[in-house]
Amino acid sequence: MTTQTLSRKEKRAAIAKASKLYGLKGDDALAIHNAYLTMQKGDLGGALRLAHPVTQRHPKNPHGWILLGSAALTQREGETAKAFFSQAVDCAPRGARALAGLGKAHVLCAEVEPAVAMMERAIEAGSKDVPMLLLYLDLTGRLGRRLHAAKLLEPLAQKLDSADLAYKLGLSLQEVDETKRAAACFQRAYALDPAPEAHQIAQAQALLYTQQIAGAEVRARELLNKLQDRDQLALVLLTALRLQRRGDEALTFAEAFEFATPEGFAQARGMVANVLQDRGDMEGAEAAYQEAMHIAGEQPRIRKAYGVFCYRDGRYAEGAPHYEKRLPEAQRRKLPVENAAPENLSAQDRLFVMAEQGIGDQIALLSLLRIAPLKQGAEVTFVGDPRHGALLHDNGLGIGHLSQPELNKVTPPVAPQEMVFLGDLTRYLPESAPEARHGPYLVPDADAAQEIRARYEALAGGRPIFGLAWASRSLIGALRSLPLTEMIAALPKGALVVDLQYGDTRDEIAAAQAARPDLTFHHDPAIDQMTDLAGFAAQLAALDHVITIDNTTAHLAGALGHPDAHLLLPAGSECMWYWGGKGAQDPWYGALHLHRQREAGNWSAPLAALSACFAN
């Protein structure tokens, strides 16, 4: 119904409604409303004819400027759009439409950092502009800020009816190995729109990521007979077979399947290498990696996998050129590996070390600053998760901390050569003795540790106090995990067991209590390791003994130099490279007691060794 065909009563009602929406009165409110409708139909000229006079009469109202800016965006006139949307933002600093439009205008002007900052303001203001959200996701992915972006976008992806946003956010989270979070996005995408092949494949991946391994296998086999994009399904199936310890089937399938793309073939060869490592066939694994790299070239996942394969074997010089290829080209253009070269590091009065990978990896890799050739007296700042701020207070490395958003506010502005990716410092491993990076560098809050210790001593009544972490909730982390009921078999009678495991552990603790009624189990509600790493460090410092699988707990205990921390390690490819391939001596921190599987999937040997430690 057009304005001309409205009755007087209908027009009054329309004006009243438009006035509330746009903060204008009378015909001007209706003109802005009709301008938005006209623009939605693709009639830019008609929309501008309606909006322009209102903008002249009401220059402090944002909507005319928004419409003018939107027209300029459509015509890809970046500077013009930026000028109009800037006027809109001046009128309404918290206006989601204006902020989103200005973010897009910055993109047209190739101003990436201002674009990201403005889009974040739009998201915080409640923007539901899906194209803007997708653009923000793409930009932050290229900048290596996927986790930061996901924190802002996950609530929106679960509310908005956009299968595309949910799916692409899932892909982004998958890239940084946040598989459980990716699963929730993939499930949402499939629920909103199950028709696209990509969403059906994502649903199979979601089953895998939520530990429904048998279900993922069944779904992958079913879709292999229906869909065109079979490579991803084959990789889902291979992963499911390996996680079920069906290595023979995985190898047979990988050899027989006809992959359509070099990338799919290379990833499959990487999985074959993992299965062969699980079996102790390191020569076969190396050959599989070489074949994958020959086919896929610079594919980051394969290059990183081979790099860490070499690192675990102590072949640092051989692995470094591959490990440095772990990041996508877009990130490398912004922050090249040459920034870690000695001639650059030794020239910088200040250095900003950029986080990558998970929290545990960041704690481990920070010790590389001890062997990097930094300029004497250089000011070094670690740019990472906000939780690191309190954790790094008074640290032994002498480094400061900033969160990623704070980096953009540094004055004078950070120069490109002043930034380096943390993992790029591994290039100095071949030139240094292990002892050069050994030793604690984190300092727990003494008062907090003392207060926690006093509470635990009151509960223990003179008995030894153990802290236990037994599970990694990620997909592949299942191969590094073991049931709590098995771990506690190594504990001495009557011990106090403090729960160090993140997530809901009530059922696991109940089963452990039934298996060992002589033990006392304690979950400390005052400590939340997911939000308070400094508090978690103080908790570890308060314990007599720490027993953990390979997770953040292990790295935090090592960086604290805990006097009696024990690490249970899997055999095969899931033994992280920091720990080397053999021996009970901790090669990374020089502090932990290592207990290794003799065969993949069998924890009897490390548990027996652990039990012997506490036999007396």
Side-chain angles (χ1 to χ4, degrees):
M1 184 179 290
T2 65
T3 304
Q4 287 73 20
T5 60
L6 292 174
S7 67
R8 289 184 180 180
K9 182 177 180 181
E10 289 170 332
K11 185 175 181 181
R12 284 197 300 271
I15 288 174
K17 185 176 180 180
S19 296
K20 291 181 180 179
L21 287 172
Y22 307 115
L24 295 167
K25 296 181 179 180
D27 288 340
D28 284 340
L30 200 56
I32 288 295
H33 182 67
N34 287 331
Y36 276 120
L37 295 177
T38 302
M39 182 163 286
Q40 287 175 8
K41 296 175 183 177
D43 182 1
L44 295 184
L48 293 176
R49 285 191 292 273
L50 287 166
H52 187 257
V54 180
T55 304
Q56 290 183 314
R57 288 192 292 272
H58 302 280
K60 297 298 184 183
N61 185 280
H63 291 285
W65 300 115
I66 290 171
L67 285 157
L68 295 175
S70 298
L73 278 181
T74 303
Q75 295 172 322
R76 305 190 67 78
E77 298 172 356
E79 292 294 342
T80 303
K82 190 165 67 172
F84 286 142
F85 279 118
S86 294
Q87 288 280 2
V89 170
D90 287 344
C91 297
R94 290 281 301 164
R97 277 183 176 176
L99 293 165
L102 185 52
K104 295 176 188 176
H106 279 301
V107 174
L108 277 183
C109 297
E111 297 164 352
V112 177
E113 290 291 356
V116 168
M118 199 58 58
M119 289 176 180
E120 288 179 351
R121 286 179 59 185
I123 294 167
E124 291 166 0
S127 176
K128 298 178 181 178
D129 183 339
V130 171
M132 185 275 291
L133 299 175
L134 290 170
L135 184 56
Y136 171 74
L137 185 61
D138 178 60
L139 291 174
T140 49
R142 293 171 186 269
L143 293 170
R145 303 176 194 167
R146 296 182 189 276
L147 288 174
H148 176 71
K151 186 176 180 180
L152 293 178
L153 295 183
E154 279 175 294
L156 289 172
Q158 293 302 321
K159 290 179 182 177
L160 298 178
D161 291 334
S162 171
D164 196 23
L165 176 62
Y167 174 68
K168 289 181 178 175
L169 180 57
L171 291 179
S172 185
L173 286 164
Q174 185 177 252
E175 280 293 312
V176 289
D177 293 323
E178 288 287 342
T179 51
K180 186 166 287 188
R181 294 162 69 186
C185 294
F186 286 157
Q187 288 165 336
R188 174 74 172 163
Y190 181 74
L192 289 170
D193 185 2
E197 283 198 3
H199 295 181
Q200 294 180 55
I201 295 169
Q203 186 235 0
Q205 290 174 308
L207 290 171
L208 199 64
Y209 296 159
T210 53
Q211 309 293 323
Q212 300 176 69
I213 310 302
E217 178 190 349
V218 170
R219 183 62 168 154
R221 291 188 187 279
E222 173 191 340
L223 293 175
L224 275 170
N225 297 319
K226 294 171 53 179
L227 304 186
Q228 296 296 314
D229 183 6
R230 302 174 74 237
D231 281 13
Q232 284 300 315
L233 291 168
L235 296 172
V236 170
L237 179 55
L238 278 173
T239 304
L241 292 172
R242 180 181 174 231
L243 289 172
Q244 295 175 84
R245 301 289 184 186
R246 290 155 61 188
D248 287 342
E249 290 180 62
L251 294 175
T252 299
F253 178 81
E255 296 300 332
F257 189 82
E258 293 287 339
F259 285 90
T261 65
E263 294 77 16
F265 176 79
Q267 288 186 56
R269 299 315 294 170
M271 290 191 186
V272 165
N274 287 338
V275 173
L276 293 173
Q277 288 176 77
D278 292 344
R279 297 178 166 198
D281 183 359
M282 299 306 169
E283 289 185 7
E286 176 131 14
Y289 280 132
Q290 294 288 353
E291 188 177 8
M293 291 187 294
H294 176 73
I295 294 296
E298 299 297 301
Q299 193 177 69
R301 283 184 178 272
I302 295 299
R303 296 298 292 271
K304 178 185 176 181
Y306 183 63
V308 300
F309 175 79
C310 294
Y311 279 0
R312 189 174 62 234
D313 198 33
R315 294 181 286 153
Y316 295 127
E318 187 176 343
H322 300 284
Y323 187 73
E324 72 181 31
K325 300 291 186 181
R326 70 197 177 281
L327 298 171
E329 184 180 343
Q331 286 180 256
R332 277 299 180 208
R333 284 198 298 268
K334 180 178 174 63
L335 221 168
V337 70
E338 288 76 17
N339 281 16
E343 56 270 23
N344 184 62
L345 293 185
S346 60
Q348 303 306 321
D349 292 316
R350 60 177 190 171
L351 188 70
F352 296 86
V353 182
M354 311 302 290
E356 54 176 309
Q357 304 179 61
I359 293 292
D361 296 289
Q362 292 168 32
I363 292 170
L365 294 172
L366 278 173
S367 61
L368 294 171
L369 287 167
R370 287 173 161 152
I371 61 174
L374 305 179
K375 185 176 182 180
Q376 184 71 28
E379 179 186 352
V380 181
T381 302
F382 177 54
V383 183
D385 191 295
R387 292 174 292 173
H388 277 107
L391 180 67
L392 288 170
H393 177 70
D394 201 26
N395 68 85
L397 300 175
I399 61 175
H401 173 266
L402 285 175
S403 65
Q404 181 70 55
E406 292 173 322
L407 183 67
N408 299 324
K409 302 173 185 176
V410 171
T411 53
V414 180
Q417 67 272 16
E418 292 180 316
M419 296 184 288
V420 61
F421 276 123
L422 180 57
D424 286 343
L425 300 180
T426 59
R427 67 184 292 163
Y428 297 106
L429 286 170
E431 305 167 11
S432 64
E435 295 77 16
R437 61 178 184 271
H438 282 179
Y441 70 84
L442 292 178
V443 180
D445 183 311
D447 291 338
Q450 185 176 4
E451 185 274 330
I452 295 168
R453 176 71 186 183
R455 288 194 284 110
Y456 293 171
E457 284 181 338
L459 291 170
R463 295 172 293 164
I465 304 170
F466 286 79
L468 269 60
W470 58 92
S472 173
R473 309 298 190 188
S474 67
L475 174 62
I476 300 300
L479 300 178
R480 301 198 297 270
S481 306
L482 72 161
L484 175 61
T485 50
E486 293 185 18
M487 184 182 279
I488 59 172
L491 299 187
K493 186 176 181 179
L496 173 66
V497 180
V498 178
D499 175 11
L500 301 180
Q501 181 61 50
Y502 64 89
D504 186 351
T505 60
R506 288 173 293 184
D507 291 344
E508 292 161 292
I509 289 177
Q513 184 70 81
R516 286 286 305 269
D518 62 294
L519 301 175
T520 299
F521 291 86
H522 177 63
H523 173 80
D524 192 339
I527 308 295
D528 181 359
Q529 63 171 281
M530 300 305 290
T531 60
D532 183 10
L533 287 175
F536 188 37
Q539 182 184 35
L540 292 182
L543 302 168
D544 293 327
H545 315 280
V546 174
I547 301 174
T548 182
I549 63 161
D550 185 5
N551 58 12
T552 298
T553 302
H555 290 291
L556 199 51
L560 288 166
H562 193 283
D564 196 56
H566 298 261
L567 174 55
L568 301 177
L569 290 174
S573 65
E574 296 318 310
C575 177
M576 296 298 287
W577 65 273
Y578 307 110
W579 317 120
K582 57 186 178 181
Q585 177 63 40
D586 167 15
W588 196 257
Y589 302 99
L592 304 176
H593 304 284
L594 308 185
H595 307 281
R596 300 178 184 272
Q597 287 182 344
R598 292 176 184 168
E599 58 178 323
N602 187 343
W603 289 105
S604 60
L607 288 174
L610 186 63
S611 183
C613 292
F614 304 115
N616 299 319

